[in-house]
Amino acid sequence: MPLDSQRHRPLLPRLAQQPPHELEATYGDEGNSKGRKRRRPYTSKACNFCREKKNACDGEPQCSQCLRRGLQCEYKMITDAILKAIPPGIQLVDKEEALNNADAADLLEMLKGAPDDEALEALNFLRFSNEPANVGSALRSYDVGLSQVALNRAILPPTQTSLEFELMMRHPLAYPTWAPVQPSKLDLEFLLLPSKIRWDGTGPTLTTGPSDGRSYLSPYGHQRRERSPDASSLIGPLAPSTLYDNRLLGVDISQWTDVPITNEFSIAVLQLYLETDHPLMPLIDVDLLLDGLLGQNEFCSRILVNALFAWACQGYAVFEPEATIIGHAFYSEAKELWKKTKEARAADHVCTVAAVQYLSVTAVSSGAGAEYVEFLGDLLEMSRRLGLFNIDPSQTLEDDVDDSADHRRAKSQIAWVLFTCLTFFSMHLHQRLIEHPPRVPPPESTIHVARDPRDPGLSKDYKRRIYDAELLREYCRLFLIIHDMIQVMYGVERTPYAKAITLAFAEETYKRLLMWADSLPLEMAQGDQCTHHAMLLHICYHLAIIDLFRSLLRQNGAPRQQLPAFKSAEATPDAVYAASVNQLKRIVLFYRQNYPESSYCFFWQSALLYLANAMLAAAKISGHVPEWRFYFRLCMTSYQTLYTGFRLAKGITLSLLSMALEKGVMDIPQARAIRKDLELRSKHHELSDLVPVSWVVDLDLAMMDPSAAQAENLVQRFQEVQLYETNGNNDTLAQEP
């Protein structure tokens, strides 16, 4: 028969070579194997698809049947068909529990056969995940290793939208992946009891519970120790090896103030200030300041020293409460010196500008009522005269040809530091303080790094200066964007905040913020090694986003709108807002738990204010997760701790309690307990507690009625609550909207 007329059997790809023991089991001995029918390899289980279709399954992670059809191959020990076959009224096991057990058993089988390194990596991820199915799916999908995207999905904290996941993947510096946190598994005693810090000469130690307790915690809340709280151990000289700079040992404080304190006390206060607050508000370069304290240059004055100590003693009061009395003495002397300076019409100087800024922030943090408004006006006018900012672009500035290089550097630095500080204040006052940014060269132009800052041969002081310079540069870049926001939100047209922000402006500004975050140095990324100064930088970033999108939220009456710049179908203002709130929750929790500065750094209170507002808004949303109560209580506790040094914390706390009572999410006994704790903590405050008249607390209400949202009015409302309580009308009040 001709070859072309024969019908040949088509050739198939050769099967993979089987191991010898499988050949024996399949074909028998070699002498009888010829002509014997080959059997299929045996598998102990089949995938879901093959079970349903009764196909021959090879039991591989991606079986040949599913692979040929382009299906996702899945394995479950108990299928829907088996569960449906159970007679009515008889239930062997809960279906959801059975499927979860099947996923766990399936994952266990895969871990047994996975290489050691892959199995170890899978176990590490599994420790932070409650979804074995997701981890198992990642193992099945990739033969060479784990799917990072799939595992991130498995271990991420619960997210509201896919946009948040997109932000975490595309912008990890601004939206890092946090490990899941269950509030029920945290050290609630440490987190939710107001802390008091004492000083023992070696560093801060935190205490929890009543102020007369004897149980002390380390700054991180892990190791307990017993020590005597007698006054002799609270204030004392620090060892030179722990000093911020050895030049502090040469400072004679009596040359700069009439307040009777020892040099040892001044060293302790300056040490804390230079480490905690100065990198955030470096009005005077630290080298110029320290040399000035030693009388070696012009960058120090009596008014500057008194104003600086008035501010710094508030933070130090957490270690020694009586420092508030000393701080008030510094504040009074600085005010008197400023009054004489104005009467004498003395020439403006950068030291005087810095002193008035210290007086202004001290007046705010101490709740000095309208005093800070006067200082703020003086500061803005003096800055304009010196040409620091608020200079019309059409106006020509005179060159400082007669000034020294140090003076020009000091002028540039204080101009940009004041710009960031006053822009930050604008966010809390809901008014525009600076119209035109500084025209002097920014601080980054004066930074000269001759060597790599990561070089191990560099000294600690040199690395610190490089880091502080980079930190100031990033703050300036961020607040230039926030300044443009404030120009629109609180412009001269007096347009209500709720109507000033358009979707196009919000989206364009958000892109700028994301670009800024993506360009941050890795040293400032969030994590265990992140300094508290960089953490506050991330706080300011998310506060700006929350303010930017607040008026576009559906809960505030805005229609649903889409952000076309993102791929996610859920890219809405609500999703962007929720992503920053979620990040803020984790930052506040992490900062409170790991940074002792949470007890004596005033600037982080902004995160508490914004988060508390977000949690009160979430409490009224139907079906919202119940985490809001934990985070709101965390904010209240942090404010109670800050009240030891900063009297403004009491006014904000009472304002938030008033908001919670009006929303019906807190009862009067809870509010009474917090108020009582504040009263116990106020014994070392000589002056009565006042509240700045323009400090905005109710952020949602401020969009339409800024005056009603200010702390003064909210505290007055809380006082009315107390009056109702005294008259026995608790039930009536609790039912008010």
Side-chain angles (χ1 to χ4, degrees), residues 146-405:
L146 298 176
S147 166
Q148 191 64 41
V149 175
L151 286 174
N152 279 341
R153 266 295 192 186
I155 67 173
L156 281 177
T159 57
Q160 295 180 350
T161 64
S162 59
L163 174 67
E164 185 171 358
F165 180 71
E166 180 182 346
L167 292 171
M168 288 179 174
M169 295 297 102
R170 296 174 60 182
H171 308 283
L173 289 180
Y175 298 90
T177 301
W178 296 84
V181 174
Q182 296 293 334
S184 59
K185 297 182 180 180
L186 295 173
D187 186 356
L188 300 183
E189 179 184 0
F190 173 71
L191 290 172
L192 300 183
L193 285 179
S195 302
K196 181 179 179 180
I197 299 184
R198 296 181 181 272
W199 188 271
D200 66 353
T202 60
T205 56
L206 295 177
T207 70
T208 61
S211 58
D212 58 348
R214 291 293 188 269
S215 180
Y216 293 85
L217 291 174
S218 72
Y220 300 94
H222 297 310
Q223 183 178 2
R224 292 182 178 270
R225 59 176 176 168
E226 299 294 326
R227 52 179 294 273
S228 172
D230 58 88
S232 62
S233 66
L234 297 180
I235 303 178
L238 302 177
S241 60
T242 65
L243 282 178
Y244 180 89
D245 193 291
N246 286 338
R247 283 174 287 186
L248 290 174
L249 296 174
V251 175
D252 183 3
I253 196 63
S254 62
Q255 296 181 359
W256 301 103
T257 182
D258 293 332
V259 178
I261 62 170
T262 64
N263 287 334
E264 289 78 11
F265 180 82
S266 68
I267 290 175
V269 173
L270 283 173
Q271 170 85 8
L272 184 67
Y273 163 77
L274 292 173
E275 291 181 343
T276 305
D277 288 344
H278 189 268
L280 302 172
M281 193 171 60
L283 296 169
I284 302 293
D285 179 80
V286 65
D287 290 317
L288 296 179
L289 176 62
L290 291 176
D291 288 341
L293 285 170
L294 297 176
Q296 298 176 1
N297 61 34
E298 60 176 311
F299 297 100
C300 195
S301 63
R302 290 180 65 89
I303 185 174
L304 174 60
V305 171
N306 280 275
L308 188 155
F309 271 83
W311 165 256
C313 281
Q314 294 180 106
Y316 191 77
V318 184
F319 300 99
E320 175 54 34
E322 286 73 15
T324 57
I325 303 173
I326 301 174
H328 181 68
F330 280 115
Y331 182 68
S332 299
E333 183 171 339
K335 286 195 300 180
E336 186 64 26
L337 290 171
W338 173 234
K339 180 180 178 181
K340 294 179 180 179
T341 300
K342 290 198 297 183
E343 292 175 350
R345 298 182 181 274
D348 298 325
H349 192 274
V350 291
C351 288
T352 310
V353 176
V356 177
Q357 169 64 7
Y358 283 125
L359 284 173
S360 178
V361 295
T362 302
V364 169
S365 60
S366 62
E371 284 188 359
Y372 90 98
V373 178
E374 178 184 353
F375 292 135
L376 187 60
D378 294 339
L379 178 65
L380 292 173
E381 179 61 26
M382 187 164 35
S383 299
R384 187 192 61 79
R385 292 197 301 264
L386 285 173
L388 300 182
F389 47 77
N390 278 347
I391 305 299
D392 191 277
S394 61
Q395 183 177 347
T396 303
L397 287 179
E398 297 181 2
D399 295 332
D400 300 329
V401 293
D402 297 331
D403 293 336
S404 64

Side-chain angles (χ1 to χ4, degrees), residues 554-580:
R554 298 182 68 186
Q555 69 186 43
N556 292 328
R560 177 181 173 86
Q561 304 177 81
Q562 189 77 16
L563 300 175
F566 297 91
K567 296 181 180 180
S568 171
E570 298 177 325
T572 63
D574 295 79
V576 177
Y577 172 89
S580 282

